[in-house]
Amino acid sequence: MPPYLLGPRLSRTGLRRSESQAGSRDTRHLDVRLAPAPEIQDTARRMADSAAPALSTTCAEYLDRHRATLREAVESGQRGLIVAERYAAMYDGLFGALCCAADAERRSQPDAVGRVALIAVGSYGRRQVAPHSDVDVLFLCDDPGDRRVAEMAQTVLYPLWDAGVDIGHAVRGLEESLELSETDIRTSTTLLDLRHVAGDRSIVEELEVGGRERIFERQLEAFLHALEDDTASRHRRYGDSIYLLEPELKVGRGGLRDLDAILWCCKARFGVKDLAEAASRDLLTERELGDLQAATEYLWSARNRLHLWARRRNDRLTYDDQEALAEALGLRDGISRATEQLMQTHFRHARAIARVADRIGERVRRSLRPPPATIRDLGDGVLVHDGRVTLKPMDLGESPVVALRLYRHALREQLPVDSEARDAVSAAMEDRECCRILLGDPEAGSLFCKLLTRASRAPLRRGSILEELHEVGLLTAMVPELETVVGKVRQDAFHVYTVDAQAIMAVDCLRGLVRGEYAADFLVVSRAAAEMPRPLPLYLALLLQGIGTGHPADPAKHAAAVAGPVCERLGLSPEDTAHAQWLIAEQSSMYHWAMRRDITDPETIAEVAEAVQSQHRLRDLYLLTFAYLMTSNPAAMTAWNARMLEDLYNAVSDRIEGRGTGEQLEALRREAFEGIDDAERRREIEAFLGHVPERYLLANSADGIRFHSSVAERREGLFAFGATDSGVGEGTLELIICCDDRPGLLADLTAALARHRFGVDSAQLYTMRRPGRAPEALDLFHVAHANMGDSELIAFELERLQQSLEAILAGEMSAEVMLAGRSRPPMWKRGGPQIRTDVHVDNASSAQYTVIDVYTRDRPELLHVISRTMHERGLSIGLAKVNTEGQAVSDVFYVQTEAGGKLAGEGQLGELSRVLRRLISKLD
């Protein structure tokens, strides 16, 4: 709840308020106002009782009439900021009329004293209100304890609450407001936005004067620091990147709240009223002013539509909204899809806002103090000035390589770059001739490569030199081939960031691996990064791996072809260029081998070893795959994925170096016994390992093996069941089910999981063979659930799941009956991009099995449908690799017929593929 809402609260709903709305007002827009609505004012004068139903009805009718008009204005394409101002004017008419009547009633009482004013604050204070935004007001008075002021507020607010208006409000005195503003950044910013709506204007003027004297003149430095800290905290909460695929228009980086922060800094320093006046004070360049005004208009046009479509406050531009907004803005599919054009437009505007927001605080500080007397010359046209690295006065257009020297010295000195120097570099990189000179300069290529491969953290935002080069335009100046993917969206359910943003994050992830930041959790890949003898080809491969995105044939091969000239231009040898191209062309191979093939199969290991050929290639492909997966989305790198990649890397490395799996298996066995002193417990683990296949040992951690053995070896009755969070990704559980094996078992187990809405992220299926006993299934499921964050609720769900498992394994309930009783997802659950269903069935991937690959959208009952179909066709599953990537799944099944062989002929393979596609489509 924003601090300006503290104090005597009159709200009857008790609803928590969100942050106040954001925006920036352009003086070219019309100053639209409404006089107090006479019908409301007359009704209010006649009815001092605030609960009078006629008054609420009149207010509701007034709102309905104006909202209908404004909806038509949005749908007809009226400018977004003007519509926002008209919404504010609509509320001015309401508040003005109600406040006038309420104040007249208060003054009619014989002992009424003191001043009262109704003030608009937040976005309403800026005359910028979206269709379903809440409205923030402050009743400012001489005596907040006066019951007549509270009664006046009730007279104003009750009819509006009854009419459905979401109002944030407070009743406060003048001194109380100033004291609160001195200690809280959210409250102090409201002093920069407040606007008199009704009541005594003199008390409002006193608040404005007091705020400027006590805060923005005496404590401006402290205000700027507090605003920057609050902005950084907000960015961390909402993704800290302008390149999110579903961006937040209001509070995300590059959104309306950042526009507010820019204007607040300018207002606090000079008392300006808008961005145009800030430019006249040299706090913004003319180009920045134009960019910010265009961004403001775009954001408000988009936001107005999102609110009206959702019929509620909605500021996130989801996949579904992107389709609708692109159409509303008149975008059409061409060389690129309409949604891609929309998102590139969005990212361009967000980037313009973010650039200024990052620099405005330093500009304001510079205007406060004279330059220091001491300057240190670093050579190369670069200085240290006021503790920041900056440029000597020069024309960067004649010698643009100095821009890269600037950042080399910033890293060497571990000092931040001066904001004016950043502005100069950004301006130079907008000049095509300057970029042409830079592109042909051998020194520039050498400096860029050194900056790219430097592993130390940079004294820049988020410690990323590459992100900084992208922000100022140096990245695309040096690699113009990347311009085609700036702001480019991958239309899938797996990637969270745009192509260029993920490339930068992947490079930074590799730097982190080299620095050892991931060693505690990912030792093997960190060791591989530390041993890189020639890092440049790998860094360039990570940077360029996405430039083929959207290519209709083979994006990876296209990216590899484009990367060749880039590497040559940057001075790489033919051997290093070929290595970088190979990494890009094979960018998805290792992930597919690890996640979709049996990595315990010697044939698979031999296939991978033949493809990579050398330890050098294997190591770099492992590092590229890891860094790419880590940065695809926050949940992509699970412990399961990391273990599969690590095991594949180790197995292929052993194969290339002539070692077998025997040593690895023995080492894994020893690890499982470490720290176990109890002789009985050791015998139990030893017996368990004797019952499971070798591939189980290769696929599980020592902690997992110990847990699984404790469950399986103590099985009594129909089945054994256990759950743990050991060795799995954050927010997931590992379930172990041990029971007698039989045809159709997987279909039954997955029906029980689907009934209780446990989503399967991955699965391992094994057969245990104990002397004198029938074969037993040892099935491991990594699952997610909506109640995972609540320990009591998840314990309850696990108990219910155990009961369902017992019922289905005992034959007391069929899978069909169990699925019929499953809970349904809520209707409001958000969808994502469309995911096409593909099913591939082949006999070439394994010597013993037919391999079935299923790619489709995730559904709770999907795994049950697939496994039931295989059972009905007499197929037994020898190995299943279930992988969930966001809302997409890629499931792989190794199956055999009842006779123990593969499916025969193309006819059987094609028929199974068609049947699975048809049944999966029915799930929709």
Side-chain angles (χ1 to χ4, degrees), residues 63-106:
L63 288 168
D64 289 343
R65 185 168 66 253
H66 285 286
R67 284 170 175 163
T69 301
L70 292 174
R71 173 180 281 275
E72 291 175 2
V74 172
E75 292 172 348
S76 66
Q78 188 170 55
R79 292 175 60 188
L81 200 50
I82 289 201
V83 171
E85 291 176 345
R86 290 179 64 186
Y87 269 102
M90 174 184 75
Y91 287 113
D92 283 351
L94 268 179
F95 280 116
L98 291 169
C99 197
C100 179
D103 190 50
E105 174 63 21
R106 180 183 70 90

Side-chain angles (χ1 to χ4, degrees), residues 60-211:
E61 291 172 349
Y62 170 89
L63 288 168
D64 289 343
R65 185 168 66 253
H66 285 286
R67 284 170 175 163
T69 301
L70 292 174
R71 173 180 281 275
E72 291 175 2
V74 172
E75 292 172 348
S76 66
Q78 188 170 55
R79 292 175 60 188
L81 200 50
I82 289 201
V83 171
E85 291 176 345
R86 290 179 64 186
Y87 269 102
M90 174 184 75
Y91 287 113
D92 283 351
L94 268 179
F95 280 116
L98 291 169
C99 197
C100 179
D103 190 50
E105 174 63 21
R106 180 183 70 90
R107 291 179 180 279
S108 68
Q109 301 179 38
D111 54 348
V113 294
R115 299 170 296 176
V116 181
L118 177 68
I119 300 174
V121 295
S123 62
Y124 179 37
R126 295 185 296 274
R127 292 195 177 93
Q128 295 173 350
V129 180
H132 288 279
S133 290
D134 43 13
V135 180
D136 300 328
V137 296
L138 169 67
F139 290 91
L140 184 68
C141 57
D142 287 321
D143 182 9
D146 187 346
R147 65 174 179 80
R148 297 165 189 78
V149 175
E151 291 170 355
M152 174 186 170
Q154 291 178 15
T155 301
V156 172
L157 296 175
Y158 270 66
L160 299 180
W161 280 328
D162 291 338
V165 180
D166 190 1
I167 305 173
H169 72 283
V171 176
R172 275 205 301 267
L174 178 62
E175 184 60 27
E176 177 190 4
S177 299
L178 290 172
E179 289 178 355
L180 190 57
S181 299
E182 288 179 308
T183 59
D184 183 85
I185 182 63
R186 302 290 181 84
T187 309
S188 55
T189 58
T190 64
L191 297 184
L192 299 168
D193 290 330
L194 61 83
R195 177 171 60 86
H196 173 267
V197 175
D200 197 313
R201 190 180 295 273
S202 66
I203 194 171
V204 182
E205 293 171 350
E206 285 186 32
L207 181 61
E208 292 176 320
V209 171

Side-chain angles (χ1 to χ4, degrees), residues 19 87 128-129 163 166 285 296 388 459 529 582 649 733 795 823 895 903 911:
E19 295 179 67
Y87 269 102
Q128 295 173 350
V129 180
D166 190 1
T285 67
T296 303
R388 295 177 178 270
W582 180 84
Y649 172 72
L733 289 174
S823 58
V895 302
L903 287 170
E911 182 190 7

Side-chain angles (χ1 to χ4, degrees), residues 848-850 874-878 894-903:
Q848 304 176 50
Y849 296 94
T850 294
L875 299 175
S876 60
I877 300 172
Y894 286 62
V895 302
Q896 289 182 326
T897 65
E898 293 175 340
K902 300 181 182 181
L903 287 170

Side-chain angles (χ1 to χ4, degrees), residues 251-262:
V251 292
R253 179 162 160 77
L256 287 166
R257 182 58 54 79
D258 281 357
L259 273 169
D260 292 343
I262 293 169

Side-chain angles (χ1 to χ4, degrees), residues 389-547:
V389 181
T390 190
L391 298 170
K392 290 181 180 179
M394 65 171 64
D395 181 5
L396 276 177
E398 296 181 358
S399 184
V401 71
V402 178
L404 289 164
R405 294 175 189 164
L406 171 76
Y407 285 101
R408 178 186 63 185
H409 282 292
L411 293 183
R412 285 181 177 177
E413 300 290 327
Q414 283 296 293
L415 291 174
V417 176
D418 180 79
S419 62
E420 289 189 1
R422 294 180 80 234
D423 294 343
V425 172
S426 295
M429 293 308 107
E430 292 170 356
D431 186 323
R432 291 186 177 275
E433 179 62 20
C434 180
C435 292
R436 188 190 64 79
I437 296 171
L438 190 68
L439 199 62
D441 190 331
E443 182 191 356
S446 176
L447 284 172
F448 176 76
C449 290
K450 289 175 181 176
L451 292 173
L452 178 65
T453 57
R454 186 175 178 122
S456 61
R457 291 189 67 84
L460 304 164
R461 184 179 182 271
R462 296 203 296 187
S464 173
I465 181 63
L466 199 58
E467 183 177 289
E468 172 74 6
L469 297 183
H470 192 23
E471 287 289 326
V472 298
L474 272 168
L475 178 59
T476 49
M478 291 302 303
V479 190
E481 292 82 355
L482 286 170
E483 289 181 354
T484 60
V485 294
V486 170
K488 191 173 187 65
V489 175
R490 289 183 174 99
Q491 294 292 331
D492 59 39
F494 186 50
H495 294 86
V496 174
Y497 306 100
T498 58
V499 176
D500 54 327
Q502 191 201 348
I504 291 170
M505 294 169 68
V507 170
D508 287 338
C509 177
L510 180 59
R511 297 185 210 277
L513 288 169
V514 174
R515 292 193 297 264
E517 294 177 358
Y518 301 94
D521 295 317
F522 307 109
L523 180 59
V524 173
V525 71
S526 297
R527 185 184 298 128
E531 294 171 353
M532 274 192 301
R534 301 169 68 84
L536 182 56
L538 175 56
Y539 275 99
L540 279 170
L542 272 173
L543 179 63
L544 302 174
Q545 49 80 25
I547 56 177

Side-chain angles (χ1 to χ4, degrees), residues 701-748:
S701 67
D703 286 339
I705 291 170
R706 289 191 282 264
F707 174 70
H708 304 155
S709 67
S710 68
V711 175
E713 290 299 308
R714 298 174 189 178
R715 173 190 166 187
E716 293 181 1
L718 196 61
F719 71 108
F721 175 78
T724 181
D725 58 1
S726 172
V728 296
E730 182 180 356
T732 62
L733 289 174
E734 183 180 61
L735 306 182
I736 172 175
I737 303 170
C738 180
C739 61
D740 289 345
D741 201 3
R742 58 173 171 79
L745 176 63
L746 181 61
D748 287 343

